Amino acid sequence: MNKIKEFNIARLRIEEDFGFQKRIEAETALLTVEADKPMVDSYKAALTAFDDALKGSVRNSQSAAVTHADELADAAWSGLNAQVKVMLTHPAEACRATATEAYDLVRKYGNVTSMPYNEEYGRLHNLLQDLAALGIEKQKQIYIDAWVTELQTRYDEFMAATAARDAEASTRITGITKQARTEADAAYRALAERVNALALVNGDAAYATFINRVNVIIDQANATLAARSTRAEAKKRDKSML
């Protein structure tokens, strides 16, 4: 008797799992027996919940706080940059000399306000360290001490906001998404077991095409897993030879 092959769906990565199941869902259109409708609807409902959970993991309540913190940090950098430039033409030579030192530090890291977050805040971290090494007396001499403090404050706020965002994202992935995947995987196994049972009891004429197509999808997924395992073993061998 033709039957759906056994397949350990848990071995797939979460994105692969969802892709695999979306392909299975498309093939359920072949299950046209009226008595099969409840099991197909149940499977589709579990997959919809899985889809919603994946989409929800992208949304994050802390994203707005990160954006706002970045805007404030950009404004602080702009204020610092403007003040340093003003002091480059100060009447006192000592002030101009100190301003040149500060300006060289700012210029070394470039205009960070349009950079990706990782690059911007890596550069701001280094800039703040350099400005601290310049010393508070020189900062006060050219009236940038308040701007340095402001930039440090906004930098710290941004880092706190991103930590909160990342913590929420981690919770979503390991919580809601994991539960939805578990339920979708269980629904897939239930679908496969029921189709196999129906084919055994009633004959596989009404299910043969669906079974064959699902088995093709399973074979392709197994090929992906086998290739990944082969690459992993190759990496282990390469490391052992170092």
Side-chain angles (χ1 to χ4, degrees):
M1 183 203 76
N2 200 9
K3 62 180 290 188
I4 296 174
K5 298 177 181 179
E6 292 186 8
F7 177 60
N8 185 1
I9 196 171
R11 293 179 62 202
L12 295 174
R13 293 171 179 166
I14 191 166
E15 302 86 355
E16 293 169 340
D17 187 335
F18 182 71
F20 172 88
Q21 298 215 49
K22 287 298 289 183
R23 293 181 67 189
I24 301 299
E25 181 186 35
E27 299 300 341
T28 59
L30 296 167
L31 300 174
T32 57
V33 177
E34 185 63 25
D36 296 340
K37 189 174 186 300
M39 74 171 179
V40 172
D41 289 346
S42 178
Y43 176 62
K44 287 184 175 181
L47 195 54
T48 296
F50 188 13
D51 189 17
D52 290 343
L54 287 173
K55 291 175 180 175
S57 69
V58 176
R59 296 188 294 269
N60 195 302
S61 66
Q62 300 300 319
S63 295
V66 170
T67 300
H68 182 59
D70 178 60
E71 290 170 351
L72 294 177
D74 286 349
W77 181 90
S78 296
L80 171 68
N81 183 56
Q83 178 61 27
V84 169
K85 285 184 175 180
V86 165
M87 295 303 294
L88 288 172
T89 57
H90 194 278
E93 183 179 350
C95 289
R96 293 198 302 273
T98 298
T100 298
E101 285 187 69
Y103 181 66
D104 287 344
L105 295 177
V106 173
R107 187 173 57 180
K108 179 169 68 171
Y109 298 106
N111 184 342
V112 300
T113 60
S114 60
M115 295 178 181
Y117 287 161
N118 285 345
E119 183 176 4
E120 176 178 355
Y121 287 89
R123 291 185 180 224
L124 284 181
H125 173 77
N126 292 332
L127 173 60
L128 285 164
Q129 285 189 325
D130 287 352
L131 290 171
L134 185 66
I136 189 63
E137 293 303 319
K138 285 187 175 181
Q139 290 179 22
K140 289 182 176 181
Q141 183 185 20
I142 56 174
Y143 307 104
I144 64 169
D145 52 311
W147 281 116
V148 173
T149 299
E150 173 72 0
L151 184 58
Q152 182 67 63
T153 298
R154 301 310 180 185
Y155 171 89
D156 292 340
E157 289 175 351
F158 176 85
M159 298 307 292
T162 54
R165 180 199 61 191
D166 293 347
E168 180 177 315
S170 176
T171 299
R172 283 181 177 274
I173 291 171
T174 59
I176 298 172
T177 306
K178 181 179 179 181
Q179 180 62 27
R181 175 185 181 173
T182 298
E183 293 173 358
D185 288 356
Y188 162 74
R189 286 189 289 269
L191 176 72
E193 290 169 4
R194 180 165 172 77
V195 167
N196 284 341
L198 289 169
L200 177 63
V201 172
N202 302 322
D204 64 7
Y207 303 99
T209 303
F210 176 75
I211 291 171
N212 289 336
R213 292 190 182 181
V214 169
N215 283 339
V216 168
I217 296 170
I218 289 173
D219 287 343
Q220 291 171 347
N222 276 324
T224 297
L225 292 171
R228 181 182 301 150
S229 178
T230 299
R231 290 194 299 271
E233 288 300 320
K235 286 183 179 179
K236 286 182 181 179
R237 288 196 300 271
D238 290 344
K239 288 183 178 180
S240 67
M241 296 175 64
L242 295 177

